[in-house]
Amino acid sequence: MDPVRNPFAPGAGSRPPELAGRESILDDAHVAVQRALLGKPSRSQMLLGLRGVGKTVLLNKIEELAENAGHLTSSIEAPEGKSLSELLVPKINQVLRKLSTSEKAKVKAHQALRALRSFASVFHLSYGDLSISVDPEVGVADSGDIESDLPELFVRVGEAARAAGKAWTLLIDEVQYLRTGDLAALIVALHKVSQKDLPVLFFGAGLPQVAALSGDAKSYAERLFHYPAVGPLLSDDAKTAIRQPVEDEGERISDDALDEIVLKTQGYPYFLQEWGYQCWNIAQGPQIDLCDAAQAATEATRRLDDGFFKVRFDRLTPKEREYVIAMAQLGAGPYRSSDIAAALNETHQSLGPRRSQIISKGMIYSPSHGDIAFTVPMFNEYLMRNYVGKSGKA
């Protein structure tokens, strides 16, 4: 089939041509966005799931919903080693400058800009090519304690948005990389604007451990957020995610081919995109058949091994690689920490620092006490294919 018309585009955050199986999450987001504009309380959402399930895609779609409804939006990806305040200052500055163009919100926007100037100054933050050309407001968001200052800043932004008849939606991807103190401050700030019924919404996305991290940061986080689980698609939704884009291009795919794709991908959205992409390019037409899907598996697996899986494995140190390979040799997981220790002939306690480092890199997480699992679907199969010999030894 014509590769120029290939509807599938596997990539980090690339929107699939068909967002199947995510209707309930998007419907809840739509309701929250509309309620915020009416001044009605809505709970923020924290999307949780493994790598490759489409969390970033959903965040991008929610941002689009919010903008279409009249929200001002700020989208951030939390990188490792960078503070939340450093990420927020230029984004909030942009929002407040937009709000300041509203005659009804000029005063409140000016007050918020002064609070932002105080906040930026006390944390010694720069804002690139932007400038905050107002005097700081003494005594507001300037204590140097982010858990005290960020809520005051969010309140000022929310008041300016309400005065303009607008709402502000903040979206943060990779929430697990936020520092503990920053996550706590964010939760406190969102709690404060919620208590005041201000039109501020938050949508976050992160690995499954984010729920526990949020609860550890502030015990009331479980009441502040919805935590929608973003997992593999159900069989019918997975088939729709492949069939619909193909049919939209005027082509066909057999039921046998669909069954094969769903079986091999286990319904994970990123893998579905990769398999769909390869099937389209391999098929001669007029239909994608089972033989095309079977042939696509070889190329799709190679591309995943060389990209999706490899870039994550390459971040690990030799000792950390030894740990995850030992996990893979135990099967599909989740894995008991004690079993991994036994496989490595070490104690559970001695492996604690290594395990913590791998968790901090977003490669593994603890689904329950004493258990460890990969954050990347089918990562154990990748390790077995590439790093474990036929003898079963790494």
Side-chain angles (χ1 to χ4, degrees):
M1 294 180 179
D2 181 6
V4 175
R5 293 193 298 113
N6 192 329
F8 302 102
S14 298
R15 181 179 299 184
E18 177 68 25
L19 264 177
R22 306 305 192 202
E23 294 82 4
S24 62
I25 292 174
L26 294 175
D27 287 345
D28 287 348
H30 177 74
V31 169
V33 163
Q34 296 296 332
R35 285 178 62 85
L37 288 170
L38 296 175
K40 295 182 180 294
S42 295
R43 286 171 73 182
S44 295
Q45 293 187 21
M46 194 82 81
L47 312 179
L48 303 182
L50 303 181
R51 301 288 188 193
V53 294
K55 301 184 299 297
T56 300
V57 169
L58 283 171
L59 272 192
N60 291 340
K61 180 62 177 178
I62 290 169
E63 181 176 25
E64 181 183 303
L65 289 174
E67 289 176 345
N68 289 342
H71 285 229
L72 298 174
T73 66
S74 301
S75 183
I76 292 170
E77 179 177 336
E80 297 171 77
K82 202 167 186 179
S83 71
L84 178 62
S85 53
E86 194 175 352
L87 298 168
L88 280 175
V89 165
K91 296 290 187 178
I92 292 178
N93 191 21
Q94 291 173 342
V95 167
L96 293 177
R97 289 189 174 281
K98 291 176 182 177
L99 289 172
S100 68
T101 63
S102 167
E103 197 62 38
K104 296 181 295 184
K106 278 189 182 297
V107 173
K108 290 294 185 182
H110 183 76
Q111 291 174 348
L113 280 166
R114 293 187 64 194
L116 180 62
R117 177 68 182 275
S118 297
F119 183 85
S121 296
V122 76
F123 289 103
H124 308 291
L125 301 172
S126 60
Y127 9 90
D129 296 331
L130 301 172
S131 62
I132 305 175
S133 53
V134 295
D135 294 328
E137 184 174 355
V138 177
V140 176
D142 64 356
S143 72
D145 175 8
I146 190 171
E147 196 169 311
S148 298
D149 296 340
L150 194 63
E152 292 184 342
L153 179 57
F154 271 39
V155 166
R156 290 297 175 91
V157 177
E159 289 172 343
R162 181 168 60 187
K166 298 281 189 178
W168 176 45
T169 291
L170 172 64
L171 307 101
I172 301 182
D173 202 1
E174 304 285 10
V175 172
Q176 72 276 355
Y177 291 137
L178 290 179
R179 301 171 183 174
T180 301
D182 286 350
L183 180 57
L186 176 64
I187 293 169
V188 174
L190 293 169
H191 190 217
K192 179 62 69 176
V193 294
S194 176
Q195 289 175 321
K196 292 181 174 292
D197 291 333
L198 292 170
V200 175
L201 274 181
F202 170 76
F203 294 92
L207 296 174
Q209 65 261 36
V210 167
L213 293 174
S214 300
D216 290 343
K218 290 294 171 184
S219 60
Y220 55 77
E222 64 183 40
R223 303 189 301 276
L224 186 65
F225 300 122
H226 284 303
Y227 291 98
V230 186
L233 298 178
L234 298 176
S235 178
D236 286 348
D237 292 326
K239 290 177 181 179
T240 298
I242 295 294
R243 181 193 293 113
Q244 195 60 54
V246 171
E247 293 181 349
D248 286 347
E249 289 292 333
E251 307 293 353
R252 302 190 308 275
I253 182 168
S254 72
D255 290 339
D256 286 345
L258 285 171
D259 289 339
E260 175 70 6
I261 292 170
V262 173
L263 176 66
K264 290 292 175 61
T265 63
Q266 298 181 25
Y268 283 100
Y270 187 91
F271 299 163
L272 285 167
Q273 291 299 301
E274 188 63 64
W275 253 258
Y277 178 82
Q278 297 300 337
C279 283
W280 178 281
N281 286 345
I282 287 169
Q284 297 300 307
Q287 175 175 274
I288 297 173
D289 290 316
L290 176 59
C291 61
D292 302 314
Q295 187 179 346
T298 300
E299 183 61 19
T301 300
R302 184 193 67 78
R303 291 229 317 179
L304 288 169
D305 283 0
D306 291 346
F308 184 80
F309 292 125
K310 186 177 186 296
V311 295
R312 289 163 173 82
F313 186 72
D314 285 351
R315 299 185 64 217
L316 302 177
T317 67
K319 281 294 186 181
E320 291 165 354
R321 293 177 184 182
E322 180 184 70
Y323 188 98
V324 298
I325 289 171
M327 289 173 61
Q329 290 179 283
L330 293 173
Y335 314 91
R336 298 296 298 174
S337 295
S338 56
D339 290 339
I340 303 168
L344 292 171
N345 293 316
E346 299 202 39
T347 66
H348 172 75
Q349 291 77 11
S350 68
L351 287 173
R354 195 188 315 183
R355 182 171 55 249
S356 295
Q357 278 298 109
I358 306 172
I359 290 174
S360 72
K361 291 181 178 181
M363 283 300 309
I364 60 176
Y365 74 106
S366 178
S368 59
H369 181 69
D371 284 348
I372 293 294
F374 288 114
T375 62
V376 180
M378 294 188 264
F379 195 69
N380 62 304
E381 297 175 20
Y382 161 74
L383 293 174
M384 295 299 290
R385 276 195 304 272
N386 292 279
Y387 298 99
V388 179
K390 292 181 180 180
S391 66
K393 298 296 183 181

